[in-house]
Amino acid sequence: MSSLPETPGIQAKASPVAHGRQPDLFKSIVESLAVPLYRVDRSGALTYANARMLELLGRPLHEAIGLRASELYPAALALAYTEDDQQVMDSGLPLSRLQDYREPATGTFRQVWVSKSPVRDQQGHVVGLQGLFDDISEHLQSLHAFQLANRVLDSTQQALMITDTEGRIVRVNAAFESITGWSAPEVLGKTPQLLSSGQHSREFYQRMWEALLAQGHWEGELLNRRRDGSLFTEHISISCLRDDSDHPSHYVALFSDISDRKAAQEEIQHLAQHDALTGLPNRLLLTDRLQQAISQAERSGQRVALLFMDLDRFKEVNDVHGHQMGDLLLKQAAERIRHTLRGSDTVARLGGDEFVALLPDLHSPEEALVVGENLRQALYQPFEIGGHSLQLSASIGIASFPDDSADADDLMRCADLAMYEAKAAGRNRVQYFREELDVRARSAAQMESELRRALHERELFLEFQPQIDLATGAVASIEALVRWQHPRQGRVEPLTFIRHAEESRLIRPIGEQILDLACSARAKLRRQLPENVPIAINLSARQLSDPRFLDAFQETIERHALPGTQVELELTESALIEEMDAARNVLQRLRLLGVKVAVDDFGTGYSNLALLHRLPLSRIKIDRSFVMDLDSRRSALAIFRAICAMAHSLGLHVVAEGVEQVEQLEVIRSLGCDAAQGYALARPMDLPALQRWLKKRARSAPPKP
Ligand code: C2E
Ligand code: CA
Ligand code: CA
């Protein structure tokens, strides 16, 4: 029977190793083992336990010996042990297993590796068993932690690559494999060089390493190459790991493929900076490039030119042929402009039919003129679109840095002004920016802001000029004429500011104020004027085309309790013809209100009574220039007579404007004129003066019946 060496209290019946000094040696080895070791007999009673085992059992040897599992361990564990023991002793075969276990002494949970093997006597009969445990709790814990870490790393979307300090790859994860196309076995031991795209400079990597060594961390974007050769952009963060003695031991790189995001960003960027129709850069990108070009030209001492191009009468193409044709034409125009320029030039579309060319490196302003002329000619060639041949032209304005301005925005403004000048000079031409254009534009801008103030401070006021019926001598109408009491310049005449008001669109609010003043004046004259005498108010074309005009008009006359019959509106021929559609509409509604409409300055525009007769009009006012010519030009008499005859045949009254001499009154009356207005009869005057004038007339010269 096999037995362990003699120990105190253990009676070994026989010892297979009891030769010479050996038992002592074994005993001391076994006793000093850090592994718990024990023996039980067939009945399961403990026959031996080494020092470590006794420590675990928490009992001295003399107490432990002879005890069974049920006396040594908690019930469940004891049962498991006894079953295992029985199996070993019955089968005579060793058994090893992992056993969960709580230390009897401390209650600590442990995982132990238990090995049990049968003990036989000399005949080979199983007389007991010996067992040993190995506490592997800590190994298992770190193994689990390791497995968990691996699972985490393999499940993240971020690619992981760990290198040692020699730059050899020691670990990659699943995301690395799927992003780069390289498998772990292919890359382990290699360097990250195999991902290099060759797109970054040596300095780039140098800076990266400097940061990594200095701060222990680097983060940024890298363009790398996949296994199949394709490129991808990654966002990568690299950290340096240090060992216990603070020396770098590994580099850990985490990266994700941002190629898609990058592509989407680039797409958005492109859309934001280009015109959808022509694909040309838009204002945003142009401004950007202009700024760049200017700062570069500042360094190189060269010139930058901007060419503003506006297609002449493009609106007509849209109106006549439709927007689709208009779009096709713009595309072709864009193509021509692009072909006329060099690759380093930029051509942008600002919207509508406005294009801008940016020439970044010129030696002289004249070079820009040559390009401008080429562009003008290119755009003057007929366009073939949808079976139509369309002849267009362009007005081109040029401004250059540093000659005209050193500021990008200002340069754009200068080129724009020059373009308007080209249009005003008759279109289809190239115009270089001139200083005077700027002065004019600045004074227009100043005028606008002053008019705005005039409107708010109510600096505008009216004067009134009567029109006299030539047959009866009665007041036929009273025209309201606006004036401006400027705080510094004093009185300003309408001819100097009405045009600015029209161009800046301030004419609408100003017109409303004038209407209000005029209606208020007419209401004050209620007792002095017969009911049928209207106040005549001048209206601009811009007011006529304002969709809110009618409502505002109606609201104003109602507020002053004026019947429509006491208002007359004066519109020039050109305003009526330019806004024919709006005019017909508005005039019909005005007629329903009883409002009269007069054609002002007749004879200076198209003089087309045939066109005008379709509108509901009441009077025409023959322009002052015809009255002035009456003395000197025979033909003036004939024209005058013809206009009167024609007007009468259309049922319209005729008023002669600007009659300065009393003698003229009889002449125009004989020519068929119904009424007259002018200094010969009365000058424009303010309301109190008009009231005095009316009073005096009523006393001295009662109107003829
Ligand atoms: P208009 O409508 O033809 O007005 C007649 C102009 O001739 C007035 O000049 C008037 O003062 C002037 N005038 C009257 N009789 C004589 C005369 O015998 N000899 C001469 N040489 N001139 C005479 P004003 O007031 O300077 O107005 C000029 C223009 O300004 C007006 O021409 C009209 O087109 C515009 N205007 C005046 N007031 C208004 C207004 O309230 N609104 C708008 N939109 N335009 C106005
Ligand atoms: Ca008038
Ligand atoms: Ca007039």
Side-chain angles (χ1 to χ4, degrees):
M1 162 176 167
S2 68
S3 159
L4 276 171
E6 296 278 87
T7 45
I10 292 183
Q11 305 303 312
K13 289 184 181 130
S15 169
V17 287
H19 309 298
R21 292 190 313 280
Q22 286 287 53
D24 289 342
L25 176 61
F26 278 117
K27 184 177 159 192
S28 70
I29 289 173
V30 168
E31 276 301 312
S32 64
L33 274 179
V35 181
L37 209 87
Y38 69 94
R39 264 189 178 186
V40 294
D41 60 18
R42 269 222 81 129
S43 74
L46 191 73
T47 56
Y48 170 73
N50 72 353
R52 173 74 187 117
M53 183 71 202
L54 291 171
E55 203 181 304
L56 281 182
L57 293 175
R59 295 170 193 260
L61 185 70
H62 66 271
E63 272 181 26
I65 290 302
L67 295 180
R68 285 169 226 284
S70 57
E71 294 155 306
L72 288 167
Y73 305 105
L77 194 58
L79 187 67
Y81 279 173
T82 321
E83 274 173 9
D84 281 355
D85 289 357
Q86 208 57 53
Q87 190 189 325
V88 171
M89 288 190 281
D90 290 351
S91 66
L93 296 170
L95 178 148
S96 310
R97 70 147 79 233
L98 185 68
Q99 183 75 55
D100 290 344
Y101 148 81
R102 232 169 251 292
E103 278 180 18
T106 62
T108 323
F109 177 79
R110 298 257 144 210
Q111 285 179 299
V112 294
W113 191 252
V114 184
S115 297
K116 297 179 176 178
S117 48
V119 176
R120 298 171 192 275
D121 62 14
Q122 270 155 348
Q123 284 74 46
H125 297 123
V126 175
V127 294
L129 63 77
Q130 56 194 10
L132 61 81
F133 315 155
D134 198 358
D135 186 340
I136 56 169
S137 310
E138 264 134 48
H139 294 293
L140 284 178
Q141 261 166 28
S142 52
L143 181 68
H144 286 151
F146 182 68
Q147 283 173 337
L148 182 67
N150 272 336
R151 278 211 301 278
V152 169
L153 292 177
D154 277 335
S155 67
T156 58
Q157 299 301 303
Q158 289 236 307
L160 165 88
M161 175 174 67
I162 303 177
T163 62
D164 60 19
T165 48
E166 308 287 302
R168 282 183 302 251
I169 299 172
V170 297
R171 171 83 164 91
V172 294
N173 68 351
F176 175 96
E177 295 180 314
S178 69
I179 290 176
T180 66
W182 291 101
S183 72
E186 287 172 319
V187 299
L188 294 181
K190 309 244 172 60
T191 73
Q193 184 75 33
L194 91 174
L195 298 175
S196 170
S197 63
Q199 303 278 320
H200 298 286
S201 63
R202 189 195 294 267
E203 293 76 49
F204 176 86
Y205 289 110
Q206 216 165 338
R207 278 197 302 276
M208 178 181 104
W209 276 107
E210 278 165 13
L212 204 46
L213 292 175
Q215 284 123 43
H217 185 80
W218 182 85
E219 193 167 338
E221 276 177 21
L222 278 179
L223 191 65
N224 270 347
R225 197 180 291 283
R226 298 191 184 89
R227 189 180 198 275
D228 65 9
S230 59
L231 296 177
F232 68 102
T233 309
E234 61 185 32
H235 181 92
I236 183 166
S237 91
I238 308 176
S239 308
C240 172
L241 293 186
R242 288 175 182 277
D243 61 17
D244 295 340
S245 44
D246 209 31
H247 294 302
S249 67
H250 292 90
Y251 293 99
V252 181
L254 278 168
F255 60 84
S256 45
D257 185 349
I258 56 165
S259 305
D260 290 349
R261 201 203 312 164
K262 197 94 179 153
Q265 269 171 3
E266 275 160 16
E267 173 76 14
I268 289 168
Q269 174 116 342
H270 185 88
L271 286 176
Q273 293 187 329
H274 290 80
D275 165 48
L277 178 68
T278 60
L280 293 178
N282 63 13
R283 185 187 294 272
L284 203 71
L285 187 53
L286 174 74
T287 315
D288 215 53
R289 297 218 178 134
L290 176 59
Q291 245 132 19
Q292 272 176 26
I294 286 178
S295 38
Q296 198 160 352
E298 251 163 7
R299 274 174 267 134
S300 66
Q302 280 179 318
R303 288 189 152 73
V304 177
L306 267 188
L307 286 78
F308 258 63
M309 290 162 265
D310 190 286
L311 301 182
D312 300 323
R313 303 209 169 86
F314 174 71
K315 191 173 172 291
E316 284 169 29
V317 174
N318 261 344
D319 290 348
V320 175
H321 300 281
H323 283 265
Q324 230 167 349
M325 282 276 267
D327 283 356
L328 289 174
L329 190 128
L330 287 174
K331 280 190 190 177
Q332 283 197 18
E335 221 27 58
R336 282 193 196 174
I337 297 170
R338 203 174 3 214
H339 274 109
T340 311
L341 300 173
R342 298 167 304 174
S344 56
D345 300 334
T346 294
V347 50
R349 178 174 173 233
L350 297 193
D353 54 352
E354 278 194 339
F355 295 91
V356 179
L358 164 66
L359 318 180
D361 45 2
L362 300 181
H363 299 284
S364 73
E366 287 71 36
E367 281 177 59
L369 265 181
V370 173
V371 177
E373 187 52 35
N374 289 342
L375 284 167
R376 187 191 66 76
Q377 282 173 18
L379 292 168
Y380 198 51
Q381 305 307 311
F383 289 89
E384 306 294 334
I385 296 168
H388 295 268
S389 178
L390 300 175
Q391 163 92 63
L392 241 72
S393 62
S395 299
I396 302 176
I398 310 177
S400 61
F401 166 91
D403 315 84
D404 301 321
S405 179
D407 174 79
D409 285 346
D410 204 39
L411 207 57
M412 299 263 273
R413 207 178 51 82
C414 291
D416 197 27
L417 282 174
M419 187 273 286
Y420 272 103
E421 175 75 359
K423 269 214 192 295
R427 304 186 162 102
N428 190 25
R429 57 188 72 214
V430 181
Q431 171 71 53
Y432 224 106
F433 173 76
R434 291 178 294 136
E435 197 65 35
E436 312 146 48
L437 299 179
D438 197 29
V439 174
R440 215 188 299 162
R442 281 184 201 283
S443 74
Q446 190 181 348
M447 177 65 101
E448 183 180 337
S449 81
E450 295 208 359
L451 273 174
R452 218 174 273 282
R453 190 205 56 228
L455 185 66
H456 289 114
E457 304 295 323
R458 302 190 75 88
E459 291 165 13
L460 302 176
F461 67 99
L462 297 181
E463 285 191 334
F464 304 92
Q465 189 180 30
Q467 299 169 17
I468 306 298
D469 187 310
L470 289 175
T472 65
V475 175
S477 170
I478 294 188
E479 182 173 4
L481 295 159
V482 69
R483 280 91 184 78
W484 178 6
Q485 191 59 43
H486 193 284
R488 287 187 312 280
Q489 295 166 25
R491 179 188 164 110
V492 183
E493 301 303 321
L495 288 178
T496 31
F497 68 84
I498 286 291
R499 190 176 54 87
H500 288 290
E502 286 173 342
E503 281 167 3
S504 66
R505 295 177 182 273
L506 278 171
I507 193 65
R508 289 182 181 176
I510 286 177
E512 281 174 22
Q513 201 169 79
I514 289 169
L515 181 68
D516 187 59
L517 289 169
C519 288
S520 149
R522 181 63 186 84
K524 285 181 186 141
L525 293 169
R526 189 172 299 136
R527 263 176 291 154
Q528 282 178 282
L529 285 176
E531 267 184 21
N532 65 343
V533 176
I535 183 104
I537 300 159
N538 292 285
L539 213 65
S540 292
R542 276 273 168 83
Q543 287 174 273
L544 193 62
S545 63
D546 179 0
R548 291 166 320 187
F549 171 74
L550 267 174
D551 288 343
F553 175 81
Q554 205 165 344
E555 186 272 324
T556 310
I557 61 171
E558 278 167 15
R559 185 154 34 82
H560 292 283
L562 278 192
T565 48
Q566 287 181 13
V567 181
E568 179 169 34
L569 297 175
E570 296 193 0
L571 281 150
T572 61
E573 271 185 284
S574 47
L576 285 167
I577 287 169
E578 258 171 49
E579 301 291 339
M580 188 56 108
D581 291 338
R584 195 170 303 149
N585 239 318
V586 174
L587 265 48
Q588 255 142 19
R589 299 230 352 235
L590 287 172
R591 165 179 272 188
L592 294 177
L593 296 172
V595 176
K596 300 179 184 72
V597 176
V599 184
D600 208 348
D601 300 350
F602 187 80
T604 56
Y606 298 79
S607 302
N608 191 340
L609 269 176
L611 258 181
L612 294 179
H613 97 271
R614 287 193 247 149
L615 298 171
L617 302 168
S618 47
R619 306 206 281 177
I620 63 169
K621 299 181 76 176
I622 298 185
D623 192 65
R624 192 172 81 228
S625 55
F626 290 92
V627 178
M628 276 159 49
D629 285 354
L630 277 180
D631 302 333
S632 54
R633 274 173 47 202
R634 279 180 149 270
S635 59
L637 282 169
I639 294 171
F640 220 96
R641 201 190 317 260
I643 292 175
C644 290
M646 211 149 40
H648 287 151
S649 74
L650 293 169
L652 301 172
H653 278 223
V654 180
V655 185
E657 291 187 312
V659 184
E660 296 187 355
Q661 288 138 34
V662 185
E663 307 83 68
Q664 289 171 329
L665 288 169
E666 190 42 42
V667 178
I668 56 173
R669 201 181 64 84
S670 70
L671 292 172
C673 225
D674 302 289
Q677 176 181 1
Y679 298 165
L681 295 159
R683 291 195 170 244
M685 44 202 150
D686 62 15
L687 188 61
L690 174 68
Q691 286 171 320
R692 285 195 298 277
W693 183 85
L694 286 170
K695 216 175 269 176
K696 202 169 133 201
R697 253 176 82 85
R699 274 201 306 269
S700 63
K704 298 178 208 166

